[in-house]
Amino acid sequence: MVASLDNVRGLTLAMSSSAFIGSSFVIKKIGLKKAGDSGVRAVILGEIANFAAYAFAPAILVTPLGALSIIFSAVLAHFILKERLHMFGIVGCILCVVGSVGIVLHAPKEREIDSMEEIWHLATRPGFIVYSCVTVVGVLFLIFWAVKRAGHRKMLVYIAICSLMGSLTVISVKAVAIALKLSFSESNQFIYVQTWFFIFVVIICCVVQLNYLNKALDSFNTAVVSPVYYVMFTSLTILANMIMYKDWVSQNATQIATQLCGFVTIVAGTFLLHKTNTSNTDSNVRSTPTPPPPPPGQLCLEE
């Protein structure tokens, strides 16, 4: 298959995003204080690249490639931090690469959109309105009922909130990114109220999403939260984009099946990589002597 130019641009930006975010973990860990940001700049650059990728490529291509940041982090840690990448980690990397290649080769062509009014028309179709209403009602139910009763015991409560809001975040981010692309190339799309509505949705969804993601990471094992969140978030994001943009309408059954297999392969690789990270962390904890507790009344300033 011959990839479209927009898909190539989106793929390049998505991979750049993964490289920046993956390297930020290594930068932070080795404590490059000379840079003054401990990897924050790399994260910001990664998120900007990821944002731009949605303007050129469909979510089925961009979102699953987020798993590549784990590969960049693992490989850099192997060579720079001398953290040995065990067999499970190597297999996980290979699975992520194979799955990503399958998705890239069979990704649908980005839909041609000429104005914000066209995006608004897609967003106000009955199918997506139903999805949005179900998502908002589900999130409100989880926040005001499930969190109080099972939030600290059931990891999926927090992750479900993050993933549901995340799917709406990606839809809105894609709309804003397309508006920016059209504004730079043709006409100003920020004169439309719809553009500012999507910006408002992005802000609200991001605040809620980050709040409950932090709660999940504080309450449960990161090595479990991260892969489960990746699977649920990516699945719901792809579903939301299928409903709104109908990316797969022009594809045949073989192409769709190949993309699904690629996604499942990435999921398997992600779990293996996190399993490796957990093993390395446990080994480091066992090999590091426990420092004596500080005297009573003395604050410990180092983490």
Side-chain angles (χ1 to χ4, degrees):
M1 293 184 63
V2 179
S4 67
L5 180 58
D6 277 352
N7 275 18
V8 172
R9 290 171 178 168
L11 171 63
T12 303
L13 288 166
M15 293 186 67
S16 300
S17 170
S18 295
F20 282 124
I21 294 174
S23 63
S24 71
F25 296 129
V26 177
I27 294 172
K28 184 175 182 180
K29 191 164 186 178
I30 61 179
L32 292 181
K33 301 301 183 181
K34 294 180 181 180
D37 59 1
S38 298
V40 173
R41 291 180 184 176
V43 173
I44 293 174
L45 288 173
E47 293 301 335
I48 291 174
N50 192 54
F51 173 83
Y54 282 109
F56 296 99
I60 178 60
L61 174 60
V62 177
T63 308
L65 294 183
L68 294 181
S69 63
I70 307 173
I71 296 180
F72 282 105
S73 178
V75 172
L76 288 174
H78 178 77
F79 289 104
I80 298 177
L81 301 178
K82 306 304 180 183
E83 293 182 355
R84 184 182 175 187
L85 191 60
H86 299 286
M87 182 57 63
F88 279 150
I90 296 174
V91 173
C93 288
I94 293 173
L95 288 175
C96 286
V97 170
V98 170
S100 299
V101 170
I103 289 177
V104 169
L105 292 179
H106 297 275
K109 184 179 179 181
E110 173 72 343
R111 184 188 185 118
E112 294 292 336
I113 295 178
D114 300 321
S115 68
M116 179 55 64
E117 292 177 330
E118 186 176 348
I119 298 178
W120 186 255
H121 173 70
L122 295 173
T124 53
R125 285 180 174 177
F128 188 71
I129 289 178
V130 170
Y131 175 83
S132 300
C133 291
V134 170
T135 297
V136 172
V137 171
V139 168
L140 292 175
F141 169 79
L142 290 171
I143 291 176
F144 292 106
W145 190 85
V147 167
K148 295 179 180 179
R149 290 166 173 77
H152 295 288
R153 294 182 290 105
K154 302 292 184 180
M155 177 184 65
L156 287 178
V157 174
Y158 290 143
I159 294 180
I161 295 173
C162 299
S163 302
L164 288 168
M165 297 302 287
S167 66
L168 296 182
T169 301
V170 170
I171 289 290
S172 302
V173 163
K174 186 174 180 66
V176 176
I178 292 174
L180 281 171
K181 182 178 74 170
L182 294 174
S183 297
F184 284 126
S185 60
E186 296 177 2
S187 60
N188 182 15
Q189 299 297 309
F190 288 85
I191 61 175
Y192 297 108
V193 177
Q194 294 92 328
T195 303
W196 295 101
F197 172 79
F198 282 117
I199 292 175
F200 175 76
V201 173
V202 169
I203 295 172
I204 296 299
C205 290
C206 282
V207 169
V208 175
Q209 187 178 352
L210 291 175
N211 179 40
Y212 285 95
L213 180 58
N214 286 332
K215 289 184 178 182
L217 293 173
D218 289 340
S219 304
F220 304 97
N221 191 335
T222 303
V224 178
V225 171
S226 296
V228 173
Y229 172 61
Y230 169 79
V231 173
M232 188 176 292
F233 165 71
T234 305
S235 300
L236 289 173
T237 297
I238 292 174
L239 175 62
N241 277 267
M242 285 175 56
I243 295 173
M244 179 168 169
Y245 291 100
K246 303 187 186 306
D247 291 330
W248 287 348
V249 170
S250 60
Q251 294 193 297
N252 57 43
T254 301
Q255 293 171 323
I256 295 174
T258 303
Q259 291 175 65
L260 290 174
C261 290
F263 175 55
V264 172
T265 304
I266 293 176
V267 169
T270 302
F271 272 93
L272 283 177
L273 281 168
H274 278 284
K275 175 65 175 176
T276 301
N277 290 340
T278 305
S279 299
N280 288 337
T281 302
D282 291 342
S283 299
N284 293 335
V285 171
R286 286 194 297 267
S287 61
T288 303
T290 303
Q298 179 179 335
L299 295 177
C300 182
L301 300 179
E302 295 183 1
E303 292 183 342

